[in-house]
Amino acid sequence: MNRMSRFNVTAIALGFAFLYLPILLLIIYSFNESKLVTVWAGFSTKWYREVWNNQGLMDAAWVTIRVGLLAATVATVLGTLAALALTRFTKFRGRTLFSGMVYAPLVMPDVIIGLSLLLLFVAAGFDRGFWTITMAHITLTMCFVTVVVQSRLLSMDRSIEEAAMDLGATPLKTFLQVTLPVIAPAVVSGWMLAFTLSLDDLVIANFTSGPGATTLPMKIYSQVRLGVTPEINAVSTILVAIVATGVIIASVLTKRREVQRRRDEQAAFAQ
């Protein structure tokens, strides 16, 4: 038993080291005084100031944030509606085709999605730029939102919806006041997943971008091809911090919601 326990601890430690040690080194070397990435010359925050003063990186970051916010919001709305259609209407004509089209981006390579959307935009005469990247990211992320929300809808007790409609609530009012509060954690999780995927995307944005619409991953990739600098490490550290903060906030809110739900159940049981 002790040997097994030691083996498990060692395996977990090696696994975490494999996953997070490169990220930790990136964060450490973002505070390196030297311009040489692999040579430590002392602690400094000057590269963060350099990032702030780099207009190209700041413009790319602003484009990425705007695309991510808009794409995640639209994808969350469309994905939630698609999940409702797939769970509440199980026998409409074309359901198999609809579900296949919704889930296709999950298994399709990013190169194929990017090339297909590029051909579509060229055929339709769209000027590539901010809006084409946004539409491409909506296409990419909507399926992930659908999967997350659909899993919550499938496990939801539908009797509370039926009770609300029996009491005179319209379908829309039932959805807004009963269904949506129940599935809200899944909707928020889907939005965060969509936003993260939009921030991370490089391949599809590369196909669908145009002049004046360079995203931060594209900017980082173009600079890394000439060599990694502490400035790039600083940008990557900021992105890691943003994502980590979002995950922590979501975890805390979910935990508080669960504690409040248990308290409400205990109060109802006591009465």
Side-chain angles (χ1 to χ4, degrees), residues 6-211:
R6 291 174 182 173
F7 174 79
N8 290 339
V9 171
T10 303
I12 292 173
L14 291 175
F16 277 113
F18 178 79
L19 291 173
Y20 296 109
L21 187 59
I23 299 176
L24 180 61
L25 290 176
L26 181 146
I27 295 173
I28 292 174
Y29 278 103
S30 69
F31 296 98
N32 188 11
E33 174 70 26
S34 173
K35 192 172 184 179
L36 299 176
V37 179
T38 57
V39 178
W40 181 261
F43 182 86
S44 176
T45 59
K46 71 176 183 179
W47 300 112
Y48 290 89
R49 295 192 297 271
E50 291 292 332
V51 169
W52 184 260
N53 294 326
N54 190 321
Q55 191 61 41
L57 283 176
M58 295 304 295
D59 291 341
W62 178 233
V63 171
T64 302
I65 292 173
R66 286 191 296 152
V67 170
L69 291 175
L70 184 57
T73 302
V74 177
T76 300
V77 174
L78 296 178
T80 302
L81 294 176
L84 282 170
L86 292 172
T87 54
R88 295 296 186 261
F89 308 99
T90 57
K91 295 183 179 180
F92 63 88
R93 181 177 298 179
R95 184 182 187 279
T96 302
L97 177 62
F98 176 72
S99 61
M101 293 177 66
V102 169
Y103 296 137
L106 283 171
V107 296
M108 195 176 296
D110 289 349
V111 174
I112 302 301
I113 298 175
L115 181 59
S116 301
L117 290 171
L118 172 62
L119 295 176
L120 173 64
F121 295 144
V122 171
F126 289 160
D127 293 331
R128 284 176 291 164
F130 174 83
W131 292 107
T132 54
I133 298 175
T134 302
M135 288 187 284
H137 283 186
I138 292 172
T139 303
L140 171 67
T141 58
M142 190 190 80
C143 57
F144 292 91
V145 178
T146 303
V147 171
V148 174
V149 177
Q150 185 180 11
S151 64
R152 182 65 186 93
L153 285 170
L154 289 174
S155 62
M156 177 182 171
D157 185 6
R158 294 195 61 183
S159 62
I160 58 176
E161 294 178 323
E162 296 172 355
M165 288 186 285
D166 288 341
L167 293 173
T170 62
L172 179 60
K173 189 174 182 179
T174 300
F175 172 75
L176 293 177
Q177 296 187 2
V178 178
T179 308
L180 188 58
V182 174
I183 66 173
V187 174
V188 173
S189 299
W191 187 91
M192 293 185 63
L193 179 60
F195 182 70
T196 303
L197 290 171
S198 178
L199 287 181
D200 179 65
D201 176 66
L202 169 64
V203 177
I204 295 177
N206 220 4
F207 277 100
T208 57
S209 66

Side-chain angles (χ1 to χ4, degrees), residues 253-263:
L253 292 177
T254 302
K255 184 66 175 178
R256 289 183 177 179
R257 184 182 180 88
E258 183 66 20
V259 171
Q260 185 62 38
R261 185 184 66 82
R262 291 179 180 177
R263 289 177 179 175

